[in-house]
């Protein structure tokens, strides 16, 4: 049941982002992240990816401090799960540096 709820929140967040409803996207991502952390104590690509996306959205919505924390946490997870040489991890690291300059 919780896994289904996680999938629904994640899909709603992605859809809201696609249609430009950034506030709803943030709300759904935040709920999905909390639920993902409750479901598993282990790092996952899914959690890292959600934190990264939510963090970028928070920065875009003028919540830079929270956004940078989330992007950083997501990057740490992605690094552990995928390795530092992974293309997605390198891209996320570049994004984090650029977000800090904003």
């Amino acid at each position: 049941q919780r896994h289904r709820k996680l999938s629904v929140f994640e899909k709603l967040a992605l859809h809201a982002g696609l249609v430009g409803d950034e506030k709803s996207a943030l709300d759904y991502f935040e709920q999905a992240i909390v639920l993902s952390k409750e479901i598993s104590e282990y790092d996952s690509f899914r959690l890292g990816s959600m934190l990264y996306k939510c963090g970028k959205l928070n920065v875009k919505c003028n919540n830079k401090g929270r956004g940078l924390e989330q992007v950083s946490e997501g990057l740490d997870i992605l690094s552990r799960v995928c390795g530092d040489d992974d293309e997605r991890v390198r891209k996320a690291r570049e994004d984090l540096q650029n977000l800090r300059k904003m």
Side-chain angles (χ1 to χ4, degrees):
Q1 179 73 328
R2 291 188 308 168
H3 289 280
R4 184 184 313 178
K5 194 173 185 180
L6 172 59
S7 291
V8 169
F9 282 140
E10 186 177 20
K11 288 175 185 174
L12 286 170
L14 294 172
H15 178 70
L18 287 173
V19 299
D21 187 354
E22 294 170 344
K23 183 185 179 328
S24 292
L26 275 175
D27 290 341
Y28 289 129
F29 267 131
E30 294 285 357
Q31 291 177 63
I33 289 166
V34 168
L35 193 54
S36 181
K37 288 179 177 181
E38 288 175 0
I39 289 172
S40 177
E41 63 187 67
Y42 301 105
D43 292 339
S44 70
F45 180 82
R46 186 181 201 176
L47 176 59
S49 179
M50 283 191 297
L51 280 161
Y52 170 75
K53 291 174 187 172
C54 187
K56 285 180 66 174
L57 193 52
N58 260 315
V59 170
K60 184 177 180 183
C61 292
N62 297 319
N63 194 353
K64 187 175 180 179
R66 174 125 175 95
L68 290 176
E69 286 175 20
Q70 288 174 318
V71 170
S72 207
E73 184 180 356
L75 175 59
D76 289 345
I77 291 170
L78 292 172
S79 292
R80 287 191 295 273
V81 171
C82 302
D84 287 329
D85 293 335
D86 186 88
E87 180 70 27
R88 296 164 293 194
V89 172
R90 288 196 304 254
K91 169 79 169 92
R93 192 169 288 114
E94 288 174 21
D95 285 348
L96 179 58
Q97 290 173 354
N98 291 331
L99 291 170
R100 285 184 173 142
K101 295 176 187 175
M102 294 176 76

